[in-house]
Amino acid sequence: MTENEDPEKKGGVWALDQQLDQPMDEEANKFSNMSEDKKCSSITVLQLAFQSLGVVYGDLGTSPLYVFYNTFPYGIDEPDDLLGALSVVIYSLTLIALVKYVLIVCRANDNGQGGTFALYSLLCRHAKIKTVPNQDQSDEELTTYSRSTFGEQSFAASTKRWLEGHALIQNVLLILVLIGSCMVIGDGILTPAISDIVVVVAVVILVILFIMQQFGTQKFGWLFAPIVLLWFLLIGGIGIFNIWKYDTSILRAFSPVYVIAFFRKGGTHGWASLGGIMLCINGTETLFADVSHFPVLSVQIAFTLVAFPCLLLAYSGQAAYLMKYPHHVFGAFYYSIPESIYWPVFSVATAAAIVASQATITATFSLIKQALALGCFPRVKVVYTSRSHHQIYIPDINWILMILCISVTAGFKNQSQIGNAAGTAVVIVMLVTTFLMILVMILVWRCHWTLVLFFACLTLVVEGTYFSAVLLKVNQGGWVPLVIAVAFFIVMYGWHYGTVIRFDIEMHSKVSMAWILGLGPSLGLVRVPGIGLVYSEIATGVPHIFSHFITNLPAIHSVVVFVCVKYLPVCTVPEEERFLVKRIGPNNFHMFRCVVRYGYKDDHKKDDDFEEKLFDNLFTFVRLESLMEGSPGSDVSSILNQQTIQSRDAMWNNNNNRSIPYSSADVSITSVDSIELADSPIYVSQPLTCSIPTSSQLVEIDEIEFLNRCRDAGVVHILGNTVVRARRDSNCFKKMAVDYLYAFLRKICRGNSVLFNVPHESLLSVGQIFYV
């Protein structure tokens, strides 16, 4: 039956099951103090803007090294061709890099997170398009689950209904996101190979660069930032010198008339040269992904005040030099350097070309982390290199990138072919970002359709033109990023496909709560001392692994907690809202459900004491539950206000009863299933002090003591090891995807026990095989 069917038609068993195991909606903490983004001081913003130069803009900043050669690989025929090419470069930087990415796309960040997956998570919050439907109403009450509202008759509402009503469109949208992410990775692998450095030297420096990643971008950002800043100042200064010395008339290229003249006169040859021109915006696609590592304002300041003006001067200066020496188009940048400072500039250029790889490396780390959280990449180790800023390091991906970068650097001999390959990757990412931004403008920003149409037409005309040009060069090196992207896409989509199948299996094979409770408090088994934590991906019902477990073993623990750990399409879940706890069935069953929620930015390393936090929240829930039962119809916030006055200065330390730090209050409880927490911190100690203990408080004390005794007896983590196999009558594609690709990826990825720091001595794995 579907969720939209009439409950009366589903029968009494379904209704009973819904009463026994309601969703976590009403247990969700509904904070009125909406969390605000941490605002950096002006000094910090400027410091991070300086630091971002070394991490974000190395790739974009080194493009003057190779743009004109890739634009005119056979030489410059006429000065007007050069003037027109420079004009196209100027307006490409202005429209794509400055207007689209820095001023518009960067504003579409998801609480400071950038990249295609961040845009996708924004869309998932505003429309039900997530292919793994593990969300419920309680998740939408998160303070970080911000989304726009719109009228039912609006254009945004029509678009939302269209997306939600077509599963094929949702799947196509996910595929677009994966393609964009894979192309960013492909571009990152090509970046080191496109620089003019001796292969042996480049390989040695690349190895050192990838080894340094484990220390974090914050540490070597300060090392790279002075290099890139000096580089920008040098190319800007040399550009001014060359314009003054060789041809000041080159500044005519700032007129858009020369853009039109370039296309009118160039014909097919001019059209093909766009593949080289578009390398001037190589790096803008990683700019948005690197927003995850720095505040948006810092990234914008660094570009508008340093990168953008210096790049315009550098290209203009090179063009002025080539107007006089058109035969020096190969290596134009180095020829245009004044002889007196040639070797210092050459040294800085070599360093900057290698540092350029850093932008794509950090962008790749950010994209992989976001893909992990959204179920689109196998579980790999993620190391957080900074506690103050979201800066990460992924060892496995780091070494894979190093091997691929070295292979491409050593394998490519023709720089023109490398430029063609990089151009293919860049333009595809830009097109994907444009399509996602159109939906963001409609659903998230609620822009008028005329504004959306203007943005779409402007960007698609520019990027569509570039795309048509790079298609002509697929056989001239443009196939390389396509092959790399296809390899990563197969891994990502294969993992996601298997994840969706496993989730569907768990949802359809879960056991009715009414059946479990029909077994009685003992569940028809021997209840042995201890606590069993049963992990599952579903937030309602009883997972099949539990019924499989109790069917084959005659005993179960005295206390059972069903733990569901899930990722949401949000940047982060505040610590105080991470755990949701509710009771399942009557008190004497001693069964609970705990839903643990994470955002794609959240760090599991901070939850080394995952088990301790889980029990803290469980004990707090029991106390609040007893307060609700002891004060029916009353405002519990007043009770807590009276009790916390007595307990604020004197906390009770009892060996049998643990004190629980609780980060939020005043607490108001209006019903058994509704808990609302507001501002001003309190400390809920236990037992809560009252002059005359009520019967409910005595019950609470007894249950807390019982839970502590069970915890002292031992905690067992029960994890399901569900193996998925394709049925014999399945098609060949499904057998390859499930039996080979997904099975292989599961075998080599990290297990849940590692992610949640489960000690091996208390781990119990329950295996089962499902045929789909």
Side-chain angles (χ1 to χ4, degrees):
M1 293 185 179
T2 62
E3 294 181 358
N4 295 326
E5 288 183 320
D6 187 355
E8 295 181 359
K9 297 180 180 180
K10 296 185 177 183
V13 175
W14 182 89
L16 175 62
D17 196 48
Q18 294 302 301
Q19 292 177 4
L20 294 172
D21 187 24
Q22 298 175 4
M24 305 295 283
D25 302 354
E26 297 184 353
E27 276 72 21
N29 297 335
K30 301 174 183 178
F31 288 84
S32 60
N33 54 321
M34 298 293 289
S35 60
E36 298 181 355
D37 295 338
K38 293 182 179 178
K39 296 183 178 180
C40 301
S41 64
S42 300
I43 300 297
T44 303
V45 168
L46 293 176
Q47 289 176 341
L48 291 173
F50 169 71
Q51 206 175 12
S52 70
L53 287 171
V55 177
V56 178
Y57 293 110
D59 191 7
L60 184 64
T62 53
S63 56
L65 291 173
Y66 45 77
V67 166
F68 282 122
Y69 167 69
N70 283 277
T71 303
F72 303 105
Y74 306 108
I76 301 172
D77 296 331
E78 296 182 15
D80 286 347
D81 295 339
L82 179 61
L83 199 62
L86 175 62
S87 187
V88 176
V89 167
I90 291 171
Y91 282 96
S92 295
L93 280 170
T94 303
L95 294 177
I96 301 299
L98 177 63
V99 177
K100 177 188 172 183
Y101 274 92
V102 175
L103 299 182
I104 298 178
V105 176
C106 281
R107 288 188 61 244
N109 67 89
D110 186 14
N111 289 322
Q113 299 299 294
T116 52
F117 278 110
L119 294 177
Y120 182 65
S121 70
L122 278 174
L123 295 175
C124 287
R125 294 208 299 271
H126 290 77
K128 296 179 181 178
I129 58 175
K130 192 178 179 186
T131 51
V132 181
N134 63 343
Q135 296 173 231
D136 52 43
Q137 187 65 33
S138 63
D139 300 328
E140 299 178 9
E141 302 296 338
L142 285 169
T143 55
T144 54
Y145 201 99
S146 57
R147 60 177 183 171
S148 303
T149 57
F150 31 76
E152 288 297 322
Q153 304 301 320
S154 64
F155 181 60
S158 301
T159 306
K160 178 176 180 289
R161 287 191 296 268
W162 177 70
L163 288 173
E164 294 177 347
H166 296 81
L168 178 62
I169 300 299
Q170 298 172 19
N171 205 29
V172 169
L173 191 61
L174 175 64
I175 290 174
L176 277 177
V177 171
L178 295 181
I179 290 175
S181 301
C182 293
M183 284 297 174
V184 171
I185 298 173
D187 180 43
I189 293 169
L190 292 167
T191 298
I194 203 172
S195 56
D196 295 318
I197 302 176
V198 178
V199 172
V200 176
V201 176
V203 169
V204 172
I205 298 177
L206 278 175
V207 172
I208 297 173
L209 178 65
F210 279 100
I211 291 175
M212 290 175 61
Q213 297 302 313
Q214 60 188 304
F215 301 109
T217 55
Q218 188 176 18
K219 294 181 177 62
F220 56 77
W222 286 107
L223 173 63
F224 291 164
I227 296 175
V228 178
L229 178 60
L230 179 60
W231 167 251
F232 276 121
L233 295 178
L234 283 173
I235 63 175
I238 293 172
I240 294 174
F241 174 80
N242 288 335
I243 293 171
W244 170 77
K245 182 177 180 180
Y246 295 109
D247 191 355
T248 56
S249 67
I250 199 69
L251 297 178
R252 291 177 296 163
F254 280 85
S255 171
V257 173
Y258 290 93
V259 175
I260 301 173
F262 175 81
F263 287 106
R264 181 179 297 173
K265 182 181 179 182
T268 305
H269 180 70
W271 198 273
S273 66
L274 287 175
I277 293 177
M278 77 157 303
L279 292 176
C280 71
I281 50 178
N282 182 29
T284 52
E285 74 288 350
T286 58
L287 179 153
F288 181 47
D290 285 331
V291 166
S292 307
H293 297 261
F294 300 95
V296 173
L297 183 58
S298 297
V299 173
Q300 292 173 328
I301 289 174
F303 183 82
T304 53
L305 296 185
V306 179
F308 183 64
C310 290
L311 285 172
L312 293 181
L313 290 171
Y315 285 116
S316 300
Q318 276 191 55
Y321 175 83
L322 290 173
M323 291 290 280
K324 187 172 184 179
Y325 303 102
H327 56 284
H328 285 169
V329 66
F330 181 75
F333 173 79
Y334 294 103
Y335 281 118
S336 66
I337 300 174
E339 186 175 352
S340 58
I341 59 171
Y342 178 84
W343 287 110
V345 174
F346 178 83
S347 301
V348 176
T350 303
I354 294 300
V355 170
S357 305
Q358 186 58 50
T360 52
I361 293 172
T362 52
T364 300
F365 289 163
S366 297
L367 290 172
I368 294 297
K369 174 64 172 68
Q370 294 169 3
L372 279 170
L374 294 173
C376 296
F377 202 84
R379 294 182 294 267
V380 292
K381 182 179 181 181
V382 178
V383 178
Y384 284 75
T385 57
S386 173
R387 292 297 182 183
S388 56
H389 304 289
H390 182 67
Q391 297 175 350
I392 59 176
Y393 162 68
I394 305 178
D396 297 336
I397 301 300
N398 185 66
W399 306 127
I400 292 173
L401 286 178
M402 185 187 76
I403 294 172
L404 292 175
C405 279
I406 292 174
S407 301
V408 173
T409 302
F412 268 101
K413 304 299 181 184
N414 190 323
Q415 193 191 58
S416 179
Q417 289 185 338
I418 302 173
N420 295 336
T424 304
V426 170
V427 72
I428 292 177
V429 177
M430 290 181 176
L431 284 171
V432 170
T433 303
T434 297
F435 288 128
L436 294 176
M437 276 302 302
I438 291 172
L439 292 176
V440 168
M441 293 178 73
I442 296 173
L443 296 177
V444 182
W445 292 351
R446 294 171 294 170
C447 297
H448 194 272
W449 66 269
T450 54
L451 186 61
V452 177
L453 183 63
F454 175 77
F455 171 81
C457 291
L458 182 63
T459 53
L460 288 177
V461 165
V462 176
E463 294 167 0
T465 303
Y466 277 130
F467 182 67
S468 63
V470 299
L471 285 179
L472 301 175
K473 300 189 176 183
V474 170
N475 62 338
Q476 301 174 28
W479 57 270
V480 177
L482 299 178
V483 171
I484 296 172
V486 166
F488 276 93
F489 177 82
I490 290 174
V491 172
M492 286 185 172
Y493 193 78
W495 179 263
H496 179 76
Y497 179 74
T499 301
V500 172
I501 288 178
R502 287 186 68 245
F503 182 81
D504 289 340
I505 288 174
E506 291 210 26
M507 287 297 295
H508 288 89
S509 63
K510 66 181 180 180
V511 181
S512 168
M513 200 73 214
W515 177 78
I516 290 290
L517 298 183
L519 299 176
S522 66
L523 301 180
L525 306 167
V526 177
R527 301 293 291 266
V528 297
I531 298 179
L533 302 180
V534 183
Y535 290 83
S536 170
E537 295 183 5
I538 59 176
T540 59
V542 177
H544 189 270
I545 60 166
F546 183 72
S547 62
H548 184 65
F549 178 79
I550 64 176
T551 301
N552 291 275
L553 292 176
I556 191 62
H557 302 88
S558 301
V559 178
V560 176
V561 182
F562 296 105
V563 182
C564 170
V565 179
K566 63 179 179 179
Y567 280 93
L568 302 176
V570 295
C571 172
T572 183
V573 176
E575 186 77 19
E576 62 272 13
E577 300 179 69
R578 181 155 296 160
F579 291 82
L580 295 181
V581 181
K582 65 168 289 185
R583 186 187 296 278
I584 300 177
N587 291 12
N588 58 349
F589 276 70
H590 301 297
M591 297 176 68
F592 302 88
R593 184 183 306 285
C594 179
V595 177
V596 189
R597 306 174 295 182
Y598 290 93
Y600 55 80
K601 179 182 174 182
D602 289 327
D603 180 8
H604 272 299
K605 295 289 286 184
K606 292 182 179 179
D607 281 347
D608 287 340
D609 53 347
F610 178 83
E611 182 181 311
E612 183 73 26
K613 292 180 179 178
L614 190 152
F615 285 120
D616 284 350
N617 283 272
L618 177 61
F619 292 160
T620 302
F621 169 79
V622 172
R623 293 190 183 90
L624 294 177
E625 185 185 48
S626 67
L627 275 175
M628 289 188 294
E629 293 175 352
S631 304
S634 64
D635 184 3
V636 181
S637 61
S638 61
I639 298 176
L640 280 180
N641 286 338
Q642 296 174 4
Q643 293 177 341
T644 50
I645 291 174
Q646 303 174 34
S647 60
R648 188 172 296 158
D649 298 325
M651 299 300 174
W652 286 25
N653 293 319
N654 191 300
N655 292 332
N656 294 327
N657 298 314
R658 304 171 182 266
S659 293
I660 310 297
Y662 204 74
S663 59
S664 303
D666 308 317
V667 182
S668 60
I669 305 172
T670 58
S671 69
V672 174
D673 292 325
S674 177
I675 303 177
E676 298 187 4
L677 297 96
D679 202 356
S680 81
I682 68 164
Y683 195 98
V684 178
S685 66
Q686 95 84 35
L688 291 171
T689 59
C690 279
S691 57
I692 302 177
T694 64
S695 59
S696 62
Q697 288 173 324
L698 293 175
V699 171
E700 169 214 338
I701 295 172
D702 290 341
E703 184 161 20
I704 292 292
E705 290 179 352
F706 176 75
L707 290 174
N708 275 319
R709 287 198 302 269
C710 291
R711 185 180 180 184
D712 293 338
V715 178
V716 176
H717 299 257
I718 304 173
L719 273 71
N721 183 21
T722 303
V723 178
V724 181
R725 292 282 184 265
R727 292 196 301 264
R728 291 185 178 181
D729 58 345
S730 300
N731 57 55
C732 182
F733 170 78
K734 192 171 187 178
K735 288 181 179 179
M736 292 289 295
V738 175
D739 293 348
Y740 296 97
L741 177 61
Y742 183 67
F744 173 74
L745 294 175
R746 283 204 70 196
K747 186 176 181 180
I748 64 174
C749 75
R750 306 181 86 204
N752 285 327
S753 59
V754 178
L755 290 176
F756 303 116
N757 304 294
V758 177
H760 290 287
E761 59 273 11
S762 61
L763 173 63
L764 179 60
S765 182
V766 180
Q768 53 185 348
I769 299 178
F770 285 101
Y771 290 89
V772 296

